[in-house]
Amino acid sequence: MIHRTVLEFSLLIGLVLATGCGASDADRSDATQTDDLDRTVRIERPVERVVSLAPNLTELAYAAGGGSKLVAVTTADDYPPAVDTLNRISALPVDFEAITAKNPDLVLATDQVNPPGDTKTFDSLDLPVYFFSFSSLSDVFEGIRTMGTLLGTEEVAADSARTLERQIASLRARTESIPPAERPRVLVLIGDETLYSFGQGSYIHTLVEVAGGRSITDSLDASAPTLSEEFVLTEKPDVIVGAWGADYDPKRLLELHPTWDVVPALQNDRVYSLPASLLLRPGPRLVEGARRLAKRLHPDRFRTLSADTSLASRSVPEAPSSIAERAPTP
Amino acid sequence: MKRPWTTGLGLIGVLACTVGVTVAFGSTAIEWGDVYRVLGHHLLGLGGSVNPVVDRIVWQLRLPRALLACLVGGGLSIIGVAMQTLVRNPLAEPYILGISSGASAGASFFYLGFLPPLISKTLSMPIAAFLGGLASIAIVYLVARDGPRVSVARLLLAGVAMSALMASLTSFVTFSSPEPDKLRAVLFWLLGSLSGTRWEQLPIPALATGLGLGTMVLLARPLDAMLMGEEPAQSLGMPVEALKRGLIVLAALVTGTLVAVSGAIGFVGLIVPHAVRLLVGVPHRRLVPLSFLAGAIFLCWADLAARTILPAQELPVGILTALCGVPFFLVLLRRRNYHFG
């Protein structure tokens, strides 16, 4: 009996010395998770200090109710407003030194931003890093649940994910009845000068479909294609949606591509721009992106919901922004 | 004049101080005392416990990075010496002659999955880089050769052309890669960077650089003879052709290995040997080891600047060496009557 106590005590001391963090060692238990790169990640619980290496991961962590565990985010983070008080770390290239100095229990990364090769350096520093990979909308919702498991906020995360899924489902229910002939053919662009777009297997096509349109780039082989002007001329999109921010002047598109004066989207003034973070960031605010998209694609059907607030209060229990800033459950 | 021993000891002292200073700076502010407590703890077994966070930053991040900077800077400098002796012109340098971009092309072919991993992953990348560098320098040398002489104009032009060709090959594989996520990593690495260095990455470059340094020191006398011209060297009984081929392979080997780990860092091999010749003269038995030391010092400082010049942002160190190196190169190019010594 005494032996066991001594043994446990020395193990504990060893742990304290090895990790240099004496807090809450008593209820520490280790968990092994498999991340989206199929790596095995050993995480020491409880997870209290987390570094996020991509803005969408930060948003997912807040949505999962673990936002208060973040100790540092990237220099590109801008949402939710709570990140303004957090430390900033350069993510490209990763500032390993600043991350180590934060002594995190867990580092969140995504293969869309972080080179998977960085895992080796994290391993040699003995910092657990979990890689996310998002290709579909359901990956994003699943990502919230995973985030909840990692951060120990499973219930809040499950609630959040369910709410977002319900929001998408209710939007889909409203657009499902739209006959194919009335579904505009939509081109989603990332750049306005160089025509970066989304190809096969991207979540953006689901977003367009839920909003009541048809994405014309969903069968392109490359996952991040650069389109030609000719492609746009021959495909004749009814609507062009860009991730160029809310202040974008649609006339600029015709100045940059004068030959497009015959494209229906430009002829009928159906060029819209949304904030980039609502379209390009695989996170909880994609739902808001889908909603705004629906309003642009079908202004007549969504006229009753012209203001975002009325939409939020009517059809869904809460707006994503309030999810994002919700404090974790104790 | 030239006191090689004093200079050598001086440079060793400066190098030690340089490493000591560069590990004390970084994006995180750490007390000097804490930094040296960590070093003392690991190197001399002093003191009991050290702060584990400081330990990781200093011992796992900064020190391997500083040591890799020494290896890369020193290695590129001695290869600069080798190239300059090979073509008997102080303008030669692995980056300018296209070895670095050839090595980059080989390495990125492998990195992006266009070449199969031959042996193990850690060895395949340097081998691919070595073969790319070798192909590049062999073509440049064959084009520039004019009987027993090497035409300097042709050499530089061929180097520029091969660099452009190899860079296009690299861009081609990068753009056609099925994995767009790797693009950024490749870009950073093409510009040359020591970011994220780990201890495990050090042995292979150390081996290659050590081999290069050892060989060049042993060959000091034949190399001196080469500078006189090939015919006088031949008349002294030197196997000139074998020596030249050996130098080309050695240059590709060392440069390829270094590029595989740090990317193409240019102009170190141009600036450093030039400065060292001003200090100790032309003889290779002094020039080679001292160039190694001076190159190590130079790249350590360049890397420190790359890490700290912009707040919360790291620059590829290759940008800085090019910013220093290109004006230097142009000045050398302008000076017509440049010769060794």
Side-chain angles (χ1 to χ4, degrees):
Chain A
M1 197 61 193
I2 295 169
H3 260 86
R4 268 189 60 187
T5 319
V6 170
L7 186 70
E8 274 170 6
F9 186 69
S10 51
L11 271 177
L12 198 68
I13 294 292
L15 257 179
V16 175
L17 287 179
T19 62
C21 164
S24 64
D25 277 316
D27 59 345
R28 172 164 286 173
S29 60
D30 293 356
T32 306
Q33 302 277 340
T34 306
D35 74 1
D36 291 349
L37 299 181
D38 278 331
R39 299 165 50 248
T40 307
V41 186
R42 242 176 82 90
I43 297 161
E44 288 181 13
R45 294 194 184 282
V47 172
E48 293 298 346
R49 304 179 55 78
V50 179
V51 172
S52 159
L53 293 183
N56 64 323
L57 298 175
T58 307
E59 293 192 25
L60 287 168
Y62 273 96
S68 63
K69 302 188 173 192
L70 292 173
V71 290
V73 295
T74 74
T75 43
D77 275 69
D78 56 6
Y79 193 88
V83 298
D84 288 347
T85 57
L86 295 174
N87 286 87
R88 304 293 180 137
I89 284 176
S90 154
L92 274 178
V94 169
D95 187 344
F96 290 103
E97 199 174 305
I99 294 173
T100 310
K102 289 280 160 211
N103 198 19
D105 306 320
L106 178 63
V107 178
L108 304 171
T110 171
D111 58 359
Q112 272 142 339
V113 175
N114 316 106
D118 283 354
T119 51
K120 288 180 199 153
T121 309
F122 280 115
D123 288 345
S124 76
L125 290 167
D126 206 17
L127 292 176
V129 57
Y130 190 99
F131 263 82
F132 286 86
S133 184
F134 307 102
S135 49
S136 67
L137 204 52
S138 55
D139 283 353
V140 175
F141 301 137
E142 214 38 59
I144 299 181
R145 295 194 175 91
T146 310
M147 200 67 89
T149 315
L150 293 172
L151 305 181
T153 54
E154 288 90 342
E155 285 178 25
V156 185
D159 274 356
S160 257
R162 222 177 296 126
T163 308
L164 290 168
E165 280 166 345
R166 220 181 295 132
Q167 288 172 350
I168 283 292
S170 76
L171 190 60
R172 194 190 285 271
R174 302 189 50 155
T175 55
E176 230 164 19
S177 56
I178 299 174
E182 287 174 41
R183 287 177 171 263
R185 302 177 70 250
V186 180
L187 170 64
V188 183
L189 289 176
I190 300 171
D192 61 350
E193 189 154 17
T194 307
L195 303 171
Y196 298 115
S197 183
F198 298 88
Q200 208 172 46
S202 164
Y203 61 85
I204 206 81
H205 310 305
T206 320
L207 229 54
V208 171
E209 184 227 306
V210 169
R214 272 180 302 154
S215 176
I216 61 170
T217 55
D218 61 351
S219 52
L220 295 179
D221 282 342
S223 63
T226 309
L227 307 178
S228 63
E229 295 190 318
E230 290 166 29
F231 175 87
V232 181
L233 282 169
T234 50
E235 287 293 317
K236 302 191 187 67
D238 300 316
V239 174
I240 295 179
V241 175
W244 311 313
D247 301 330
Y248 187 82
D249 179 6
K251 287 197 199 92
R252 190 174 138 83
L253 201 61
L254 193 60
E255 282 165 23
L256 290 170
H257 309 283
T259 54
W260 288 5
D261 52 356
V262 296
V263 174
L266 284 96
Q267 285 184 324
N268 303 324
D269 278 336
R270 301 206 67 187
V271 177
Y272 306 113
S273 175
L274 293 180
S277 58
L278 299 187
L279 292 179
L280 307 186
R281 226 179 247 190
R285 287 192 294 156
L286 282 185
V287 175
E288 175 63 18
R291 270 198 207 135
R292 293 207 195 172
L293 209 55
K295 280 200 306 188
R296 304 292 190 283
L297 298 187
H298 299 285
D300 45 334
R301 282 167 211 269
F302 288 85
R303 192 173 13 186
T304 49
L305 308 170
S306 54
D308 284 339
T309 44
S310 67
L311 179 73
S313 57
R314 263 192 52 165
S315 61
V316 293
E318 53 191 330
S321 56
S322 59
I323 296 171
E325 281 148 56
R326 189 154 69 189
T329 47
Chain B
M1 58 176 257
K2 336 217 153 148
R3 284 151 306 213
W5 282 107
T6 330
T7 317
L9 286 175
L11 283 180
I12 289 176
V14 173
L15 181 60
C17 294
T18 298
V19 172
V21 171
T22 51
V23 296
F25 284 102
S27 60
T28 311
I30 296 177
E31 295 284 322
W32 289 74
D34 291 335
V35 170
Y36 294 118
R37 209 164 296 130
V38 169
L39 293 184
H41 175 75
H42 284 279
L43 296 174
L44 311 168
L46 292 176
S49 62
V50 286
N51 181 338
V53 170
V54 177
D55 182 69
R56 280 192 212 162
I57 291 178
V58 174
W59 190 255
Q60 305 274 15
L61 289 170
R62 289 185 187 172
L63 191 63
R65 183 172 179 150
L67 294 181
L68 185 65
C70 294
L71 287 174
V72 173
L76 291 177
S77 298
I78 58 168
I79 295 309
V81 172
M83 291 288 93
Q84 289 154 15
T85 305
L86 176 74
V87 304
R88 287 196 300 284
N89 189 286
L91 293 171
E93 198 258 357
Y95 192 78
I96 296 167
L97 295 188
I99 312 181
S100 299
S101 57
S104 285
S108 44
F109 264 73
F110 172 75
Y111 183 72
L112 294 168
F114 289 88
L115 291 176
L118 293 171
I119 315 164
S120 68
K121 210 178 164 218
T122 38
L123 271 179
S124 304
M125 182 107 125
I127 290 174
F130 161 59
L131 294 176
L134 189 62
S136 190
I137 182 65
I139 292 172
V140 169
Y141 190 73
L142 287 177
V143 169
R145 228 178 120 142
D146 189 6
R149 293 177 45 82
V150 171
S151 150
V152 175
R154 273 203 223 173
L155 184 81
L156 296 179
L157 288 174
V160 169
M162 274 314 279
S163 285
L165 175 68
M166 288 298 181
S168 327
L169 281 179
T170 309
S171 306
F172 178 76
V173 293
T174 311
F175 275 97
S176 56
S177 159
E179 293 169 78
D181 309 332
K182 286 186 171 174
L183 297 191
R184 270 183 299 262
V186 168
L187 175 70
F188 208 74
W189 171 59
L190 285 183
L191 292 170
S193 166
L194 302 165
S195 172
T197 307
R198 308 182 300 277
W199 281 108
E200 306 95 90
Q201 290 173 314
L202 293 182
I204 294 175
L207 209 64
T209 309
L211 181 75
L213 182 62
T215 314
M216 298 235 342
V217 171
L218 287 178
L219 291 177
R221 288 179 62 81
L223 288 174
D224 288 343
M226 282 279 287
L227 278 186
M228 316 267 186
E230 285 181 23
E231 277 161 37
Q234 221 141 21
S235 66
L236 285 173
M238 302 285 178
V240 173
E241 279 307 313
L243 189 62
K244 288 197 306 200
R245 272 185 223 124
L247 281 182
I248 287 178
V249 173
L250 190 73
L253 181 71
V254 176
T255 312
T257 315
L258 297 179
V259 166
V261 61
S262 69
I265 298 174
F267 300 99
V268 180
L270 180 78
I271 302 174
V272 172
H274 184 84
V276 173
R277 271 191 211 103
L278 291 180
L279 279 176
V280 298
V282 182
H284 284 84
R285 75 194 136 84
R286 301 177 214 154
L287 179 62
V288 170
L290 295 187
S291 288
F292 182 87
L293 291 175
I297 294 166
F298 173 75
L299 202 62
C300 275
W301 285 107
D303 185 48
L304 179 64
R307 284 188 288 146
T308 49
I309 216 165
L310 291 182
Q313 181 69 47
E314 189 180 316
L315 286 174
V317 69
I319 293 180
L320 289 184
T321 57
L323 284 177
C324 305
V326 174
F328 192 86
F329 177 78
L330 294 177
V331 169
L332 281 190
L333 202 56
R334 183 81 198 141
R335 279 171 57 177
R336 299 227 174 113
N337 296 329
Y338 187 92
H339 48 85
F340 292 108

